[in-house]
Protein backbone atom coordinates (compact mmCIF):
# COMPACT_ATOMS: atom_id res chain seq x y z
CA UNK A 1 0.00 0.00 0.00
CA UNK A 2 1.48 3.34 -1.04
CA UNK A 3 -0.39 6.28 0.46
CA UNK A 4 2.23 8.89 -0.20
CA UNK A 5 5.83 8.72 -1.44
CA UNK A 6 7.20 10.58 1.55
CA UNK A 7 5.55 8.36 4.18
CA UNK A 8 7.05 5.40 6.03
CA UNK A 9 4.35 3.53 7.88
CA UNK A 10 5.42 1.20 10.68
CA UNK A 11 4.31 -2.40 9.93
CA UNK A 12 2.07 -2.56 13.03
CA UNK A 13 0.32 0.64 11.92
CA UNK A 14 0.16 -0.45 8.29
CA UNK A 15 -1.66 -3.67 9.12
CA UNK A 16 -4.04 -1.72 11.37
CA UNK A 17 -4.78 0.67 8.47
CA UNK A 18 -5.38 -2.26 6.11
CA UNK A 19 -7.66 -4.01 8.62
CA UNK A 20 -9.47 -0.75 9.47
CA UNK A 21 -8.52 -1.15 13.12
CA UNK A 22 -8.64 1.88 15.41
CA UNK A 23 -5.41 3.90 15.46
CA UNK A 24 -4.40 6.87 17.59
CA UNK A 25 -1.83 9.32 16.21
CA UNK A 26 0.57 10.87 18.74
CA UNK A 27 2.81 13.91 18.32
CA UNK A 28 6.55 14.11 19.03
CA UNK A 29 7.27 17.75 19.96
CA UNK A 30 6.22 16.66 23.44
CA UNK A 31 9.19 14.27 23.38
CA UNK A 32 11.86 16.63 22.02
CA UNK A 33 10.72 20.03 23.31
CA UNK A 34 7.95 19.44 25.84
CA UNK A 35 9.58 17.38 28.59
CA UNK A 36 13.06 16.79 30.02
CA UNK A 37 15.00 13.55 29.57
CA UNK A 38 14.40 10.78 30.69
CA UNK A 39 10.72 11.47 31.52
CA UNK A 40 10.15 12.25 27.83
CA UNK A 41 11.08 8.70 26.72
CA UNK A 42 9.16 7.11 29.57
CA UNK A 43 6.09 9.17 28.73
CA UNK A 44 6.27 8.49 24.99
CA UNK A 45 6.37 4.75 25.71
CA UNK A 46 3.69 4.82 28.42
CA UNK A 47 1.33 6.76 26.21
CA UNK A 48 1.74 4.19 23.42
CA UNK A 49 1.05 1.49 26.01
CA UNK A 50 -2.09 3.28 27.18
CA UNK A 51 -3.39 3.31 23.60
CA UNK A 52 -2.70 -0.45 23.34
CA UNK A 53 -4.40 -1.32 26.64
CA UNK A 54 -7.42 0.58 25.35
CA UNK A 55 -7.48 -1.66 22.27
CA UNK A 56 -6.16 0.70 19.64
CA UNK A 57 -2.83 0.93 17.82
CA UNK A 58 -0.52 3.88 18.59
CA UNK A 59 1.19 5.78 15.78
CA UNK A 60 3.72 8.28 17.06
CA UNK A 61 4.64 10.69 14.28
CA UNK A 62 7.98 12.40 13.53
CA UNK A 63 10.39 13.10 10.66
CA UNK A 64 13.58 11.05 10.54
CA UNK A 65 16.16 11.93 7.89
CA UNK A 66 13.56 13.45 5.65
CA UNK A 67 11.05 10.58 5.92
CA UNK A 68 7.62 11.13 7.43
CA UNK A 69 7.38 8.36 10.05
CA UNK A 70 4.00 7.08 11.16
CA UNK A 71 4.79 4.79 14.08
CA UNK A 72 8.28 4.94 15.56
CA UNK A 73 10.73 2.30 16.74
CA UNK A 74 12.16 2.55 20.30
CA UNK A 75 15.43 3.71 18.76
CA UNK A 76 13.67 6.53 16.93
CA UNK A 77 11.87 7.63 20.11
CA UNK A 78 15.19 7.59 21.94
CA UNK A 79 16.81 9.64 19.18
CA UNK A 80 14.12 12.34 19.47
CA UNK A 81 14.33 12.30 23.26
CA UNK A 82 18.10 12.67 23.53
CA UNK A 83 19.25 14.67 20.53
CA UNK A 84 18.99 18.38 21.26
CA UNK A 85 19.47 19.26 17.61
CA UNK A 86 16.08 17.81 16.67
CA UNK A 87 14.03 20.62 15.14
CA UNK A 88 10.48 21.48 16.09
CA UNK A 89 8.60 21.12 12.81
CA UNK A 90 5.28 22.82 12.18
CA UNK A 91 3.42 23.28 8.85
CA UNK A 92 5.83 25.90 7.46
CA UNK A 93 8.89 23.71 8.24
CA UNK A 94 7.67 20.42 6.73
CA UNK A 95 8.73 20.81 3.09
CA UNK A 96 12.22 22.08 3.93
CA UNK A 97 12.79 19.37 6.56
CA UNK A 98 11.79 16.61 4.16
CA UNK A 99 13.53 18.06 1.13
CA UNK A 100 16.80 18.56 3.01
CA UNK A 101 16.52 15.12 4.62
CA UNK A 102 16.58 16.54 8.13
CA UNK A 103 14.99 15.15 11.30
CA UNK A 104 12.36 16.84 13.36
CA UNK A 105 9.61 16.38 15.87
CA UNK A 106 6.08 17.26 14.86
CA UNK A 107 3.77 19.80 16.51
CA UNK A 108 0.00 19.41 16.63
CA UNK A 109 -0.24 21.12 13.22
CA UNK A 110 2.28 18.94 11.40
CA UNK A 111 1.13 15.77 13.18
CA UNK A 112 -2.38 16.47 11.87
CA UNK A 113 -1.04 16.88 8.33
CA UNK A 114 0.87 13.59 8.46
CA UNK A 115 -1.92 11.69 10.25
CA UNK A 116 -4.27 12.86 7.51
CA UNK A 117 -1.87 11.64 4.78
CA UNK A 118 -1.91 8.25 6.52
CA UNK A 119 -5.73 8.39 6.86
CA UNK A 120 -5.66 8.37 10.67
CA UNK A 121 -8.54 10.53 11.92
CA UNK A 122 -7.92 10.59 15.70
CA UNK A 123 -4.93 12.13 17.46
CA UNK A 124 -4.10 12.57 21.16
CA UNK A 125 -1.81 15.19 22.66
CA UNK A 126 -1.36 17.17 25.89
CA UNK A 127 -2.14 20.75 25.01
CA UNK A 128 -2.53 22.60 21.73
CA UNK A 129 -0.85 25.83 20.73
CA UNK A 130 -3.06 28.91 20.51
CA UNK A 131 -3.18 32.69 20.66
CA UNK A 132 -0.40 33.89 22.95
CA UNK A 133 -0.99 36.52 25.59
CA UNK A 134 -0.02 39.86 24.04
CA UNK A 135 -0.69 38.59 20.50
CA UNK A 136 -2.11 42.03 19.64
CA UNK A 137 1.52 43.20 19.66
CA UNK A 138 3.45 40.07 18.68
CA UNK A 139 0.98 38.41 16.25
CA UNK A 140 2.05 35.13 17.91
CA UNK A 141 -0.73 32.70 17.03
CA UNK A 142 0.10 29.01 16.74
CA UNK A 143 -0.22 27.34 13.35
CA UNK A 144 -2.12 24.62 15.27
CA UNK A 145 -5.28 26.75 15.10
CA UNK A 146 -5.08 27.27 11.35
CA UNK A 147 -4.47 23.53 10.90
CA UNK A 148 -7.53 22.70 12.98
CA UNK A 149 -9.52 24.80 10.54
CA UNK A 150 -8.42 22.87 7.46
CA UNK A 151 -7.34 19.29 8.22
CA UNK A 152 -9.82 16.51 8.98
CA UNK A 153 -8.38 15.14 12.21
CA UNK A 154 -9.92 15.03 15.68
CA UNK A 155 -7.47 16.36 18.29
CA UNK A 156 -7.95 15.18 21.87
CA UNK A 157 -6.23 17.49 24.39
CA UNK A 158 -6.54 18.78 27.94
CA UNK A 159 -7.39 22.25 26.68
CA UNK A 160 -4.59 24.75 26.44
CA UNK A 161 -2.13 26.06 28.99
CA UNK A 162 -2.76 29.41 30.53
CA UNK A 163 0.53 30.56 28.92
CA UNK A 164 -1.96 31.36 26.14
CA UNK A 165 -4.83 33.78 26.02
CA UNK A 166 -7.61 31.19 26.29
CA UNK A 167 -10.41 33.63 25.49
CA UNK A 168 -8.75 34.78 22.26
CA UNK A 169 -7.89 31.17 21.38
CA UNK A 170 -11.60 30.26 21.59
CA UNK A 171 -12.54 33.32 19.50
CA UNK A 172 -10.03 32.31 16.83
CA UNK A 173 -11.39 28.75 16.76
CA UNK A 174 -14.92 30.10 16.41
CA UNK A 175 -13.93 32.31 13.47
CA UNK A 176 -12.28 29.33 11.81
CA UNK A 177 -15.31 27.10 12.38
CA UNK A 178 -13.63 24.56 14.66
CA UNK A 179 -16.04 22.87 17.08
CA UNK A 180 -14.68 22.80 20.64
CA UNK A 181 -16.18 19.89 22.57
CA UNK A 182 -15.87 19.29 26.30
CA UNK A 183 -15.76 15.65 27.32
CA UNK A 184 -18.08 15.47 30.33
CA UNK A 185 -17.47 19.15 31.01
CA UNK A 186 -19.01 22.42 29.94
CA UNK A 187 -15.97 24.43 31.04
CA UNK A 188 -12.85 24.62 28.87
CA UNK A 189 -10.11 22.81 30.79
CA UNK A 190 -6.85 24.74 31.21
CA UNK A 191 -4.35 21.88 31.05
CA UNK A 192 -3.10 21.61 34.69
CA UNK A 193 -6.50 22.62 35.93
CA UNK A 194 -10.02 21.61 34.90
CA UNK A 195 -11.16 25.22 35.26
CA UNK A 196 -10.51 28.19 32.99
CA UNK A 197 -13.55 30.39 33.44
CA UNK A 198 -14.46 29.86 29.75
CA UNK A 199 -17.15 27.60 28.33
CA UNK A 200 -16.69 25.06 25.57
CA UNK A 201 -19.17 25.09 22.68
CA UNK A 202 -20.71 21.73 23.53
CA UNK A 203 -20.56 19.33 26.45
CA UNK A 204 -20.51 15.73 25.12
CA UNK A 205 -21.01 12.73 27.37
CA UNK A 206 -19.62 9.75 25.46
CA UNK A 207 -16.88 8.68 23.02
CA UNK A 208 -19.59 7.29 20.72
CA UNK A 209 -21.29 10.70 20.55
CA UNK A 210 -17.93 12.28 19.67
CA UNK A 211 -17.37 9.69 16.92
CA UNK A 212 -20.86 10.45 15.53
CA UNK A 213 -20.03 14.17 15.44
CA UNK A 214 -16.82 13.48 13.49
CA UNK A 215 -18.65 11.27 11.02
CA UNK A 216 -21.37 13.88 10.57
CA UNK A 217 -18.99 16.85 10.18
CA UNK A 218 -16.94 15.16 7.51
CA UNK A 219 -20.06 13.61 5.97
CA UNK A 220 -21.34 17.17 5.53
CA UNK A 221 -18.05 18.01 3.76
CA UNK A 222 -17.24 20.58 6.43
CA UNK A 223 -13.48 20.30 6.31
CA UNK A 224 -11.25 20.80 9.30
CA UNK A 225 -10.69 19.28 12.68
CA UNK A 226 -12.68 18.89 15.86
CA UNK A 227 -11.11 19.81 19.17
CA UNK A 228 -12.01 17.50 22.06
CA UNK A 229 -11.03 18.87 25.46
CA UNK A 230 -10.65 16.36 28.27
CA UNK A 231 -10.01 17.65 31.80
CA UNK A 232 -6.95 16.47 33.72
CA UNK A 233 -8.00 13.72 36.21
CA UNK A 234 -9.08 15.34 39.51
CA UNK A 235 -6.39 13.68 41.60
CA UNK A 236 -3.61 15.16 39.46
CA UNK A 237 -5.06 18.63 39.13
CA UNK A 238 -2.75 21.44 40.32
CA UNK A 239 -3.76 24.46 42.31
CA UNK A 240 -4.68 27.13 39.77
CA UNK A 241 -3.34 30.01 41.91
CA UNK A 242 0.07 28.35 42.26
CA UNK A 243 0.09 27.53 38.54
CA UNK A 244 -0.90 31.05 37.51
CA UNK A 245 1.97 32.44 39.59
CA UNK A 246 4.39 30.02 37.94
CA UNK A 247 3.06 30.89 34.48
CA UNK A 248 3.28 34.65 35.11
CA UNK A 249 6.84 34.31 36.35
CA UNK A 250 7.80 32.21 33.32
CA UNK A 251 6.25 34.78 30.95
CA UNK A 252 8.11 37.62 32.72
CA UNK A 253 11.39 35.74 32.34
CA UNK A 254 10.71 35.08 28.65
CA UNK A 255 10.09 38.81 28.10
CA UNK A 256 13.29 39.71 29.92
CA UNK A 257 15.27 37.21 27.88
CA UNK A 258 13.48 38.35 24.68
CA UNK A 259 12.45 34.81 23.71
CA UNK A 260 10.21 34.82 20.61
CA UNK A 261 8.81 32.66 17.82
CA UNK A 262 8.91 28.88 17.97
CA UNK A 263 11.21 28.94 21.03
CA UNK A 264 8.62 30.53 23.27
CA UNK A 265 6.43 27.48 24.03
CA UNK A 266 9.35 25.11 24.87
CA UNK A 267 10.96 27.89 26.96
CA UNK A 268 7.82 28.46 29.01
CA UNK A 269 7.21 24.72 29.51
CA UNK A 270 10.68 24.13 30.91
CA UNK A 271 10.54 27.28 33.11
CA UNK A 272 7.21 26.21 34.58
CA UNK A 273 8.59 22.76 35.27
CA UNK A 274 11.58 24.37 37.02
CA UNK A 275 9.43 26.72 39.09
CA UNK A 276 7.01 23.96 40.21
CA UNK A 277 9.94 21.62 40.96
CA UNK A 278 8.62 18.95 38.62
CA UNK A 279 5.04 18.89 39.94
CA UNK A 280 3.71 20.25 36.67
CA UNK A 281 5.49 17.47 34.80
CA UNK A 282 3.64 14.73 36.73
CA UNK A 283 0.29 16.30 35.90
CA UNK A 284 1.42 16.70 32.29
CA UNK A 285 2.23 12.97 32.00
CA UNK A 286 -1.07 11.86 33.56
CA UNK A 287 -3.20 14.07 31.40
CA UNK A 288 -1.57 12.86 28.19
CA UNK A 289 -2.30 9.27 29.21
CA UNK A 290 -5.85 10.25 30.01
CA UNK A 291 -6.20 11.84 26.55
CA UNK A 292 -4.68 8.80 24.84
CA UNK A 293 -7.25 6.54 26.53
CA UNK A 294 -10.16 8.75 25.43
CA UNK A 295 -8.75 9.03 21.90
CA UNK A 296 -8.56 5.22 21.69
CA UNK A 297 -12.23 4.95 22.66
CA UNK A 298 -13.24 7.57 20.07
CA UNK A 299 -11.14 5.80 17.41
CA UNK A 300 -12.80 2.46 18.19
CA UNK A 301 -16.30 3.91 17.78
CA UNK A 302 -15.33 5.92 14.71
CA UNK A 303 -13.92 2.89 12.95
CA UNK A 304 -17.04 0.85 13.82
CA UNK A 305 -19.55 3.42 12.55
CA UNK A 306 -17.63 4.15 9.37
CA UNK A 307 -16.87 0.56 8.27
N1 LIG B 1 1.55 22.99 24.62
C1 LIG B 1 1.92 22.16 25.61
N2 LIG B 1 2.90 21.25 25.40
C2 LIG B 1 3.53 21.14 24.19
C3 LIG B 1 3.11 22.01 23.13
C4 LIG B 1 2.12 22.90 23.38
O1 LIG B 1 1.36 22.26 26.71
O2 LIG B 1 4.44 20.32 24.04
C5 LIG B 1 3.76 21.86 21.77
C6 LIG B 1 2.79 21.11 20.81
O3 LIG B 1 3.56 20.31 19.93
C7 LIG B 1 2.15 22.25 20.04
C8 LIG B 1 3.30 23.21 19.93
O4 LIG B 1 1.66 21.87 18.77
O5 LIG B 1 3.95 23.14 21.19
C9 LIG B 1 2.84 24.62 19.63
O6 LIG B 1 3.96 25.41 19.36
P1 LIG B 1 3.77 26.84 18.66
O7 LIG B 1 3.02 27.66 19.69
O8 LIG B 1 5.16 27.34 18.42
O9 LIG B 1 2.95 26.60 17.44
MN1 LIG C 1 4.25 30.94 17.75
Amino acid sequence: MKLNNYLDIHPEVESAINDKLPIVALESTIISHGMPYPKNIETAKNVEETVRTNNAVPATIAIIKGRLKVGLTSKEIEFLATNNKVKKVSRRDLAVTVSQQLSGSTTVASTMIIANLAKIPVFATGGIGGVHRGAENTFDISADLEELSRTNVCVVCAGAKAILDLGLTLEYLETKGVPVLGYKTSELPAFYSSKSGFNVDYRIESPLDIAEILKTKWGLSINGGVLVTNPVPKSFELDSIVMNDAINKAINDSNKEKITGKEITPYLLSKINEITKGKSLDANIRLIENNAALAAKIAIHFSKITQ
Side-chain angles (χ1 to χ4, degrees):
M1 176 190 52
K2 204 85 210 136
L3 284 161
N4 181 288
N5 284 336
Y6 299 101
L7 276 182
D8 283 345
I9 306 213
H10 190 284
E12 185 192 6
V13 178
E14 179 158 26
S15 59
I17 295 173
N18 288 335
D19 299 343
K20 296 208 161 151
L21 295 178
I23 304 171
V24 174
L26 299 163
E27 64 148 303
S28 49
T29 294
I30 279 179
I31 306 173
S32 62
H33 294 75
M35 285 183 189
Y37 176 86
K39 288 272 183 189
N40 54 357
I41 294 201
E42 250 174 74
T43 305
K45 294 192 170 166
N46 285 345
V47 172
E48 289 196 344
E49 219 29 61
T50 303
V51 172
R52 286 199 185 89
T53 53
N54 283 278
N55 304 312
V57 174
T60 306
I61 289 176
I63 302 146
I64 308 281
K65 295 202 181 91
R67 300 292 302 167
L68 307 182
K69 299 281 179 188
V70 179
L72 300 179
T73 62
S74 302
K75 271 227 157 67
E76 287 164 341
I77 289 180
E78 204 169 310
F79 169 76
L80 296 173
T82 54
N83 189 319
N84 56 16
K85 287 202 201 84
V86 168
K87 291 185 344 142
K88 172 181 162 188
V89 174
S90 196
R91 169 178 271 266
R92 60 119 188 245
D93 312 290
L94 260 178
V96 176
T97 307
V98 169
S99 174
Q100 311 247 310
Q101 289 157 43
L102 304 172
S103 298
S105 55
T106 51
T107 61
V108 168
S110 54
T111 304
M112 287 177 77
I113 294 171
I114 298 169
N116 191 47
L117 287 175
K119 301 194 184 338
I120 302 173
V122 182
F123 159 28
T125 184
I128 59 158
V131 180
H132 280 261
R133 295 192 198 173
E136 63 274 27
N137 298 315
T138 61
F139 270 45
D140 193 347
I141 300 172
S142 174
D144 292 354
L145 299 184
E146 212 49 48
E147 207 58 53
L148 278 161
S149 77
R150 71 214 294 177
T151 301
N152 297 8
V153 171
C154 168
V155 179
V156 181
C157 68
K161 279 202 183 85
I163 59 174
L164 302 173
D165 187 319
L166 298 179
L168 292 187
T169 300
L170 285 175
E171 290 294 346
Y172 199 98
L173 289 168
E174 182 195 0
T175 301
K176 293 292 175 173
V178 180
V180 179
L181 312 182
Y183 179 60
K184 297 190 173 174
T185 180
S186 43
E187 184 164 356
L188 177 76
F191 203 82
Y192 300 118
S193 152
S194 60
K195 302 229 159 9
S196 67
F198 295 95
N199 286 336
V200 293
D201 304 330
Y202 300 95
R203 173 183 174 131
I204 308 295
E205 300 295 339
S206 79
L208 172 60
D209 286 353
I210 295 171
E212 295 279 8
I213 290 165
L214 300 178
K215 182 183 172 188
T216 307
K217 181 170 194 270
W218 298 327
L220 289 166
S221 299
I222 303 172
N223 281 331
V226 170
L227 189 66
V228 174
T229 63
N230 185 27
V232 55
K234 273 265 171 295
S235 50
F236 299 104
E237 200 166 341
L238 298 178
D239 185 87
S240 64
I241 295 170
V242 174
M243 281 319 297
N244 268 333
D245 274 0
I247 288 167
N248 284 331
K249 186 167 186 315
I251 292 177
N252 272 337
D253 288 355
S254 76
N255 287 336
K256 264 190 232 140
E257 292 187 41
K258 299 197 164 52
I259 312 286
T260 55
K262 69 197 267 192
E263 270 80 47
I264 187 103
T265 300
Y267 176 93
L268 294 175
L269 296 181
S270 88
K271 267 283 163 190
I272 292 164
N273 186 38
E274 225 174 81
I275 295 166
T276 63
K277 300 194 172 66
K279 266 199 214 135
S280 61
L281 187 55
D282 286 338
N284 201 341
I285 292 169
R286 298 308 178 137
L287 66 84
I288 296 172
E289 287 173 2
N290 190 45
N291 296 342
L294 175 58
K297 290 175 188 140
I298 296 169
I300 289 168
H301 286 294
F302 187 78
S303 81
K304 263 193 213 143
I305 63 177
T306 55
Q307 291 283 330

